[in-house]
């Protein structure tokens, strides 16, 4: 069956037909020719959805939390799109069954759209792909888009930075709070959730996070610019009017305890004079560069399709080094 | 103080002077002009070191394990280089104190070189940076290079794929084995370490991993190509001679229990007819493309320095969409 033309899919999305949404996402995700035109056509319809990133270590209960938050939002009469980002294997590529099974109870809920995204093959970067999918859901009238990632690597940090608001889920007993710092997510969190709050050590973890936030705030007050690693935190010290608000919320996702408070925190943060707007320029810059890089990488792969295998063979046989091989291919592309 | 010329640093590395090693790493890592020439000059001196990647979730005890493995290798008369890859904050960028403190007991050991690498600012990708640093240590006569990462995101997977052999460290009580699968590291592991083996649930975790490996092996036997997600595992089924060997080793890094067995497993895997060689072509291809992409991204940033801010401003004000902005800049670069 031939794919329907782009404009048909775009209309389908605007008319909120889930089937069209699913198909357009697939085609945009795989960068089929014409995807940019579709995104351009949808762009004026975007900007209304609240895009929320949810990240945290494996086993923190992110899927369950995402389900509970969605349920609460749906009960408020909102339509919710969920993007489950799976750092799937570079070999197998696919999204895993586990999430889908756990997602199933909400899959059938009206007004909920769930989509899995795999890491692999996203030449344009997973972050850009998440951004595109969030925009399609936005244009399809979903009021909230939840981007849920697995893990807390740099990749996940990039993905959730595509969101307007970031929730970092922690659980007691997964190493101390220093691990959170190590993961480099301290600075991107707008809300910390201490999940499994009924487990031992939960309250201590909440306290630890609170004091880390306090330390970061003090750091930001320091005169030395190098130590201002949370630039937007308490930003009024820098002459800015916005104050970076960070909430810490204890939840028990399985029982649903704490979820209403979390949803309130989300709503309140979005209601505040948007600190997000302040970074609109930086985010636009980042996105444009990501799109440019992806296109350049694609062009390079197409134009070097003939010469790359030979170059790789030379390097594999140690007849040349990879640096010289790359330089030669760049010369072939006419770049210096 | 002016930096010494490249050829002086290169000689210093070959003469095994730690100071020269440290400086060259810094300069190569920050891609100072001429870095490629230095790497080219060193390249013929590389290929002898065993490059081992060590990854696993935060709190799994990777630093302690790395220290213990190093100690054992040093006791065998080998020189060891350690690269601690920190997925540090996109804001602060720096490597964190924690690791350094924990590393300190081995820092003073003779024949050991320790280097922290931050994620940020690595235009060429962290994986390529790790590859370059490993090569410098290789050229400086380190017999073993251990690349230790934090977290198990796609980023970490990429980093350890720069290694010849990959160790995945797990601990009991961090969610079930399905989480390991989810992290997409099942297929890259040559050795699974179940650390904190004295904790409850350790043996169960070992059993779980063993049965996952068995399942993967069965999958690889399946006729359907799509299900062969561990292509190299038991590769003789595909007519290849190499058999992918995966070890599962229980350790208690704090007490040192199990470490000799782990070091033996490393030695044995390297002694086997290199399965790694089979992927030399794929790895060369990947590295060349990474170098090409990085150079293209750098060229784009330089050439677009003047027009990018304006484009970002237009997008931030919603006067245009990022897709059109990117296309316009690509046209400016003369790319289509």
């Amino acid at each position: 069956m031939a794919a329907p033309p782009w404009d048909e899919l775009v209309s389908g999305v605007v008319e909120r037909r889930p089937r069209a949404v699913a198909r357009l996402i697939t085609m945009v995700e795989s960068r089929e020719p014409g995807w940019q035109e579709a995104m351009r056509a949808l762009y004026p319809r975007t900007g209304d959805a609240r895009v929320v990133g949810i990240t945290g270590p494996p086993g923190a209960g992110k899927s369950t939390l995402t389900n509970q938050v969605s349920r609460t939002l749906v009960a408020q009469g909102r339509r919710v799109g969920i993007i489950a980002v799976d750092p799937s294997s570079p070999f197998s590529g696919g999204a895993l069954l586990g999430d889908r099974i756990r997602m199933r109870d909400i899959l059938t809920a009206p007004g909920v759209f769930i989509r899995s995204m795999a890491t692999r093959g996203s030449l344009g970067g997973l972050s850009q792909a998440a951004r595109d999918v969030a925009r399609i859901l936005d244009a399809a009238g979903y009021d909230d888009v939840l981007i849920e990632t697995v893990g807390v690597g740099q990749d996940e940090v990039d993905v959730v930075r595509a969101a307007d608001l970031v929730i970092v889920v922690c659980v007691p007993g997964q190493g101390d709070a220093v691990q959170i710092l190590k993961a480099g997510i301290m600075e991107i969190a707008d809300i910390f959730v201490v999940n499994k709050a009924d487990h031992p050590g939960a309250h201590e973890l909440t306290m630890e996070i609170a004091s880390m936030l306090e330390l970061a705030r003090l750091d930001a007050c320091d005169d030395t610019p190098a130590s201002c690693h949370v630039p937007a935190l308490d930003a009024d010290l820098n002459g800015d009017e916005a104050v970076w608000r960070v909430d810490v919320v204890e939840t028990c996702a399985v029982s649903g305890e704490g979820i209403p408070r979390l949803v309130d925190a989300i709503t309140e943060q979005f209601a505040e004079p948007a600190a997000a707007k302040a970074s609109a320029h930086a985010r636009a810059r980042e996105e444009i560069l990501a799109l440019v890089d992806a296109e350049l990488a694609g062009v390079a792969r197409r134009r070097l399709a003939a010469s790359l295998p030979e170059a790789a063979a030379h390097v594999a046989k140690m007849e040349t080094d990879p640096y010289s091989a790359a330089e030669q291919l760049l010369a072939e592309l006419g770049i210096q």
Side-chain angles (χ1 to χ4, degrees), chain A:
Chain A
M1 198 175 80
W6 287 106
D7 53 355
E8 211 173 286
L9 281 179
V10 167
S11 318
V13 167
V14 173
E15 288 156 19
R16 307 188 172 187
R17 285 190 271 118
R19 200 109 175 246
V21 173
R23 287 191 106 173
L24 187 65
I25 288 176
T26 303
M27 296 172 81
V28 166
E29 238 193 319
S30 52
R31 299 310 197 211
E32 290 187 25
W35 72 271
Q36 287 111 325
E37 281 71 37
M39 290 308 300
R40 258 174 234 155
L42 283 177
Y43 195 78
R45 307 252 177 193
T46 66
D48 292 330
R50 309 188 300 194
V51 183
V52 177
I54 301 174
T55 192
K62 292 183 299 296
S63 297
T64 313
L65 192 86
T66 304
N67 282 3
Q68 293 279 29
V69 167
S70 309
R71 207 169 274 127
T72 305
L73 291 168
V74 167
Q76 295 180 351
R78 301 178 69 87
R79 299 177 74 226
V80 179
I82 301 174
I83 308 173
V85 182
D86 235 324
S88 58
S89 151
F91 291 90
S92 68
L96 273 145
L97 207 60
D99 261 326
R100 291 191 185 154
I101 291 170
R102 259 174 286 154
M103 284 276 180
R104 196 181 290 168
D105 59 330
I106 196 158
L107 244 179
T108 52
V112 174
F113 186 97
I114 300 179
R115 179 73 183 204
S116 274
M117 270 179 58
T119 295
R120 138 179 141 142
S122 51
L123 240 191
L126 198 53
S127 181
Q128 186 58 40
R131 229 178 249 132
D132 295 332
V133 175
R135 265 189 204 128
I136 295 172
L137 293 173
D138 187 349
Y142 289 95
D143 305 296
D144 294 303
V145 178
L146 310 180
I147 305 177
E148 178 207 322
T149 74
V150 187
V152 285
Q154 186 59 37
D155 212 49
E156 278 79 9
V157 170
D158 289 341
V159 167
V160 292
R161 285 178 74 192
D164 302 317
L165 180 137
V166 175
I167 298 175
V168 175
V169 188
C170 316
V171 281
Q174 284 210 331
D176 53 31
V178 168
Q179 299 293 352
I180 295 168
L181 264 175
K182 281 182 65 169
I185 50 174
M186 180 81 187
E187 294 86 345
I188 59 159
D190 299 294
I191 300 176
F192 277 103
V193 165
V194 175
N195 195 25
K196 304 188 184 175
D198 53 331
H199 285 212
H203 196 59
E204 288 74 8
L205 180 57
T206 304
M207 292 296 103
E208 260 186 299
I209 293 170
S211 48
M212 286 197 320
L213 288 169
E214 191 54 38
L215 272 174
R217 181 186 296 273
L218 291 175
D219 247 17
C221 300
D222 196 308
D223 284 323
T224 324
S227 67
C228 291
H229 57 62
V230 190
L233 186 78
D234 222 345
D236 53 351
L237 290 163
N238 304 315
D240 199 325
E241 276 169 44
V243 173
W244 190 309
R245 163 182 167 169
V246 181
D247 292 280
V248 187
V249 182
E250 292 186 2
T251 62
C252 177
V254 171
S255 72
E257 217 173 315
I259 300 295
R261 212 166 340 125
L262 172 58
V263 172
D264 286 349
I266 294 171
T267 306
E268 285 163 26
Q269 289 213 15
F270 271 101
E272 284 182 8
K277 294 277 171 194
S279 63
H281 188 277
R283 287 172 66 189
R285 185 181 179 282
E286 198 182 309
E287 177 167 7
I288 295 168
L289 281 176
L291 290 165
V292 166
D293 286 347
E295 189 59 29
L296 289 175
V299 168
R301 275 152 191 74
R302 279 194 301 278
R303 292 209 199 150
L304 299 175
S307 38
L308 181 60
E310 203 187 337
H314 281 302
V315 172
K317 286 183 212 141
M318 301 281 274
E319 290 163 1
T320 185
D321 64 86
Y323 311 96
S324 305
E327 196 186 43
Q328 208 179 313
L329 294 180
L330 284 161
E332 197 179 310
L333 286 173
I335 306 282
Q336 48 264 332

